[in-house]
């Protein structure tokens, strides 16, 4: 018996082979039994879904990289991560002997709340903190669901950044890029209960319960890897798993299609 699985939140699967195949596909999605769907229809549906995901990836990342590819060098022990969720898109990637290795991912929860998991601290590590200035600003706009022209630095936003060194990293980023802002950068964890903040930002090795509380309030989350391997439970919260460390290779954004690399030493 053949089975078909539809994951919640995925784009709809469509058939182009006529109403009979389309009806059979709908029945298969409802029942999980694909015995009555032709191989041709399944192939067409798979191609359609892949194209929809590729188009979504390209459109989303074009808002973060409107001027095209940005280049930088990530520091040693930057983290490679593998996505286990169709809701994730690659943000920072590198080429290594013909393989694509992904360092950073963006995605959203089922309720639409957005997140970013970065393989390195783009706020403090040179030269990534200045090389990626434009895309980091656009990433923040995307997380906050602002248009690309929004002057978010002069919005009266509250960022919850509980960690002292994470607040220092953000301050370093403003200084390195000559940026001024009107944000309130708070360490007050009581905001997780009130929801009186706009974005949670911090080291990925902070308590995952903080991130879950932020998601529970419908607030976007941006976390980054500084040095140590992230906890498996934390990565799972974002539909990711650990791959390995990398460093001092040329980094670039890989556009056009979702990337699902698996890389192990």
């Amino acid at each position: 018996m053949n089975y078909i699985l539809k994951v919640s939140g995925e784009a709809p699967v469509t058939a182009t082979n006529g109403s009979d195949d389309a009806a059979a596909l709908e029945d298969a999605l409802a029942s999980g039994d694909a015995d009555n769907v032709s191989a041709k229809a399944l192939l067409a549906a798979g191609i359609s879904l892949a194209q929809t995901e590729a188009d979504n990836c390209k459109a989303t990342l074009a808002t973060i990289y409107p001027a095209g590819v940005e280049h930088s060098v990530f520091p040693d022990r930057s983290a490679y991560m593998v996505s286990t969720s169709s809701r994730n898109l690659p943000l920072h990637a590198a080429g290594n002997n013909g393989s694509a290795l992904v360092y950073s991912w963006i995605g959203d929860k089922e309720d639409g709340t957005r997140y970013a998991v970065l393989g390195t601290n783009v706020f403090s590590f040179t030269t990534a903190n200045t090389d990626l200035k434009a895309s980091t600003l656009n990433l923040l706009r995307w997380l906050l669901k602002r248009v690309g022209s929004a002057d978010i630095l002069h919005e009266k936003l509250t960022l919850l950044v509980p960690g002292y060194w994470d607040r220092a990293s953000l301050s370093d980023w403003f200084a390195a890029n000559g940026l001024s802002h009107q944000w309130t950068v708070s360490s007050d964890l009581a905001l997780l209960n009130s929801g009186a903040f706009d974005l949670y930002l911090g080291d990925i090795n902070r308590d995952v319960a903080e991130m879950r509380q932020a998601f529970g309030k419908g607030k976007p989350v941006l976390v980054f890897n500084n040095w140590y391997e992230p906890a498996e439970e934390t990565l799972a919260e974002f539909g990711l798993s650990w791959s390995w460390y990398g460093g001092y290779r040329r980094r670039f954004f890989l556009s056009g299609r979702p990337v699902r690399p698996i890389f192990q030493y």
Side-chain angles (χ1 to χ4, degrees), residues 119-189:
T120 196
N121 186 343
V122 299
F123 298 102
S124 64
F125 287 135
T126 56
T127 59
N129 63 337
T130 52
D131 291 341
L132 303 179
K133 168 190 171 183
S135 60
T136 300
L137 272 170
N138 285 331
L139 172 61
L140 291 165
R141 290 186 181 98
W142 180 82
L143 287 166
L144 293 162
K145 299 185 178 180
R146 303 296 199 269
V147 297
S149 59
D151 183 11
I152 58 170
L153 291 174
H154 292 94
E155 290 186 38
K156 294 188 181 301
L157 301 173
T158 297
L159 271 64
L160 175 56
V161 189
Y164 172 83
W165 291 112
D166 300 334
R167 294 193 300 278
S169 292
L170 189 59
S171 179
D172 290 345
W173 182 70
F174 289 133
N177 289 288
L179 299 173
S180 61
H181 67 92
Q182 295 183 18
W183 297 352
T184 297
V185 179
S186 175
S187 62
D188 186 2
L189 286 173

Side-chain angles (χ1 to χ4, degrees), residues 1-169:
M1 179 176 286
N2 297 318
Y3 292 93
I4 187 167
L5 176 65
K6 183 179 182 183
V7 179
S8 176
E10 287 186 348
V13 177
T14 59
T16 58
N17 297 44
S19 58
D20 289 345
D21 276 336
L25 268 175
E26 288 303 316
D27 289 343
L29 288 171
S31 67
D33 180 358
D35 277 358
N36 295 323
V37 184
S38 69
K40 188 175 181 180
L42 285 173
L43 178 60
I47 292 172
S48 175
L49 178 58
Q51 187 60 53
T52 298
E53 289 197 356
D55 290 345
N56 176 60
C57 177
K58 188 172 183 178
T60 300
L61 294 176
T63 67
I64 298 174
Y65 298 96
V69 173
E70 285 185 341
H71 294 266
S72 187
V73 175
F74 278 13
D76 198 14
R77 292 181 70 89
S78 299
Y80 300 136
M81 291 171 283
V82 178
S83 175
T84 59
S85 169
S86 63
R87 307 189 73 91
N88 291 333
L89 301 175
L91 179 68
H92 300 138
N96 183 49
N97 296 324
S99 297
L101 310 175
V102 179
Y103 291 82
S104 305
W105 297 86
I106 60 174
D108 58 10
K109 293 291 190 176
E110 289 196 16
D111 67 357
T113 303
R114 294 175 175 177
Y115 56 80
V117 181
L118 309 184
T120 196
N121 186 343
V122 299
F123 298 102
S124 64
F125 287 135
T126 56
T127 59
N129 63 337
T130 52
D131 291 341
L132 303 179
K133 168 190 171 183
S135 60
T136 300
L137 272 170
N138 285 331
L139 172 61
L140 291 165
R141 290 186 181 98
W142 180 82
L143 287 166
L144 293 162
K145 299 185 178 180
R146 303 296 199 269
V147 297
S149 59
D151 183 11
I152 58 170
L153 291 174
H154 292 94
E155 290 186 38
K156 294 188 181 301
L157 301 173
T158 297
L159 271 64
L160 175 56
V161 189
Y164 172 83
W165 291 112
D166 300 334
R167 294 193 300 278
S169 292

Side-chain angles (χ1 to χ4, degrees), residues 5 62 197 251:
L5 176 65
F197 64 100
R251 306 294 190 259

